[in-house]
Amino acid sequence: LSLSASLSNKAKLSMWSRLIFFSSFLLHSSLGVFWDRYLNNNRLSTLPSTLLTKLDHLTLLYLHTNQLTSLENGVFQDLTSLNQLLLFKNNIAQIGPGVFSSTPEGMQVDMSEN
């Protein structure tokens, strides 16, 4: 029995919707023109260091209510305009020593409920 056959139509639609949204995000992320990015409630468990590259205009990043367990060094390095980073309601237990070293001074970070 395939995975597709065992999923309900609603679950398939949700899965495809997430995949299309995430693919669209990756395709257009190289343009660097986004001001905000909503990646919350997507069951993300990892953030590869290359995921958020070339988004130097991004000011708001919503990563809350996912399943993140750690933050790798370099994941936020290209986000030079970031003002607000929401990471609450994840499972973050490990943060690399330089994760926030290149983020703007005064950036607001919410990591509650981790």
Side-chain angles (χ1 to χ4, degrees):
L1 186 65
S2 73
L3 174 64
S4 180
S6 65
L7 294 174
S8 69
N9 285 338
K10 186 176 180 181
K12 287 179 193 175
L13 180 61
S14 177
M15 182 178 69
W16 282 112
S17 175
R18 281 192 181 111
L19 181 61
I20 290 168
F21 170 79
F22 205 66
S23 298
S24 174
F25 168 73
L26 292 175
L27 176 66
H28 293 92
S29 67
S30 63
L31 299 175
V33 295
F34 291 115
W35 298 104
D36 57 24
R37 208 44 12 208
Y38 294 88
L39 297 174
N40 55 303
N41 294 304
N42 280 295
R43 297 183 185 155
L44 299 176
S45 58
T46 61
L47 285 177
S49 59
T50 57
L51 179 66
L52 301 169
T53 58
K54 299 179 183 174
L55 292 174
D56 57 337
H57 290 91
L58 193 70
T59 58
L60 304 170
L61 180 56
Y62 299 92
L63 289 165
H64 63 85
T65 321
N66 278 298
Q67 298 170 357
L68 300 173
T69 57
S70 64
L71 299 175
E72 296 179 23
N73 282 337
V75 71
F76 303 123
Q77 75 181 17
D78 289 345
L79 306 181
T80 56
S81 299
L82 198 61
N83 294 324
Q84 190 172 27
L85 176 59
L86 301 178
L87 291 162
F88 63 88
K89 290 188 179 179
N90 278 288
N91 300 310
I92 300 170
Q94 293 182 321
I95 299 174
V99 166
F100 298 109
S101 63
S102 61
T103 56
E105 189 174 322
M107 180 184 70
Q108 297 176 0
V109 180
D110 185 348
M111 294 189 63
S112 60
E113 300 183 54
N114 275 288

